[in-house]
Amino acid sequence: MSLLPVRLVRGDRWWTGLPPAAGSAVMAAGILSIGLELIGHDVLSLAALAIAGALWLVLAADFALRLVADRGRFRSESSTPSALTAVAATTVLGTRLAQSGRQDVAAALLTLAAALWPLLLYHVLRHGRRRMPGAVFLVCVATQGLAVLAATLCVTLHLDWLGRAGLGCFCLGVLLYALALYRFDLHEVTGGAGDHWVAGGALSITALAGAKLTAAPLWTGAAHTGLRTATLVALGLSLAWYVVLLTAELRRPRPRYDIRRWSTVFPLGMTATACLSAAGPTGVAWLRPLGEVLLWIAVAACALTCVAFALDRRTARAR
């Protein structure tokens, strides 16, 4: 089942019609794969990984095509926060592959994401303004994605410099979250099309990055304690956002399909995965059962989004 809306435009190949926000579908499938592997559901995890990988390849081809053949569209889209899904999706996929023992491919994806990140981040920050939708938090998500993957490879490849680079990205990501929060339109909480959930998801990936760094043997003493505290603070704030956003959804349901709904699935899965990953390094055991419950909620949200997408496609074809 495809996760992305196919938009046929005047005979163009279908992938040329995909907006940058389509990258959130890769992020959603990738983080569910990570979480499902953490709780031992390997078959479902591999299925989600296959979907994430296939979608990433399609979007990577579209990205390259725009860069080479449609510079005008590339420049226009690279200034929007959604462009940073290219970095975030690459780091999520890389983290899952590193988790499977494919450190070589994960390292290549980290290199690619790190090369794209400064270019896209510069353009997005340059065109920032007040009262932006939830996609504005992707400046934090993409940066913390680099921190997560760098910290993961720091442990598996025994490269201390990757851990230090990950810590730098972690600290910068926190600052970028504050900037994004300043620019975020709070009215999106009750009226957003789906990407408003990234307000909480950005803190969840911050907590995941903190958990990965805390687990690295590179940090001891006060540094370890500081990372553990920062991880728990970020996770606590993300759970508070979860309650606020879920309450707003229940009070003002938005059932109609929108591609930005994949930006709802991703934060749900990220919050669950952050809980699962933080339980061990922080020593807070009850985070694991909480993470398992939240993960199945994220899986259910993914299934509902797939159904909404299928119904939306059928309605569009009937017109």
Side-chain angles (χ1 to χ4, degrees):
M1 179 182 294
S2 175
L3 297 180
L4 298 174
V6 175
R7 200 169 71 185
L8 297 171
V9 184
R10 294 183 181 178
D12 288 346
R13 293 177 179 179
W14 64 265
W15 57 80
T16 62
L18 295 174
S24 60
V26 181
M27 296 160 62
I31 199 61
L32 289 180
S33 179
I34 292 172
L36 288 166
E37 198 275 339
L38 288 175
I39 64 172
H41 287 269
D42 294 339
V43 174
L44 287 176
S45 175
L46 289 174
L49 174 60
I51 292 171
L55 292 175
W56 186 88
L57 289 173
V58 169
L59 292 172
D62 182 38
F63 186 93
L65 183 64
R66 278 179 283 144
L67 180 61
V68 173
D70 194 349
R71 293 292 183 88
R73 180 186 169 195
F74 180 83
R75 284 193 295 269
S76 175
E77 292 183 344
S78 66
S79 64
T80 65
S82 294
L84 284 165
T85 60
V87 175
T90 301
T91 59
V92 170
L93 183 60
T95 301
R96 177 60 182 90
L97 290 171
Q99 195 170 287
S100 298
R102 295 304 307 271
Q103 281 79 20
D104 51 347
V105 182
L109 290 175
L110 176 59
T111 302
L112 175 60
L116 290 174
W117 172 72
L119 172 66
L120 295 176
L121 183 66
Y122 168 76
H123 285 290
V124 170
L125 291 178
R126 184 184 174 194
H127 291 88
R129 62 185 189 281
R130 292 296 306 275
R131 299 187 180 280
M132 296 184 72
V136 68
F137 289 99
L138 284 166
V139 296
C140 171
V141 172
T143 306
Q144 296 295 9
L146 291 171
V148 170
L149 184 49
T152 300
L153 291 175
C154 167
V155 174
T156 57
L157 298 179
H158 308 289
L159 296 174
D160 290 352
W161 70 268
L162 275 177
R164 296 188 181 94
L167 180 61
C169 288
F170 175 80
C171 295
L172 178 59
V174 172
L175 295 177
L176 288 171
Y177 184 87
L179 175 62
L181 184 62
Y182 171 74
R183 291 178 171 177
F184 178 53
D185 183 358
L186 288 174
H187 292 96
E188 289 286 302
V189 173
T190 55
D195 58 355
H196 56 291
W197 277 84
V198 186
L203 286 171
S204 297
I205 196 172
T206 298
L208 178 59
K212 294 284 188 179
L213 290 166
T214 303
L218 182 61
W219 314 108
T220 58
H224 181 274
T225 302
L227 281 170
R228 178 183 180 275
T229 301
T231 298
L232 291 175
V233 169
L235 188 55
L237 291 173
S238 73
L239 289 170
W241 263 115
Y242 193 112
V243 173
V244 170
L245 293 167
L246 181 59
T247 301
E249 290 277 359
L250 293 174
R251 292 188 63 180
R252 295 189 63 180
R254 285 149 268 181
R256 186 172 182 176
Y257 176 78
D258 189 292
I259 195 170
R260 288 168 288 184
R261 269 304 176 192
W262 295 111
S263 293
T264 298
V265 177
F266 171 72
L268 291 173
M270 180 56 73
T271 304
T273 302
C275 289
L276 291 168
S277 300
T282 63
V284 183
W286 58 265
L287 286 174
R288 183 168 181 84
L290 174 61
E292 291 185 18
V293 172
L294 295 179
L295 183 61
W296 290 116
I297 293 174
V299 170
C302 182
L304 289 173
T305 304
C306 286
V307 171
F309 164 63
L311 293 174
D312 180 74
R313 290 297 91 201
R314 188 169 66 179
T315 301
R317 284 194 298 266
R319 289 173 184 168

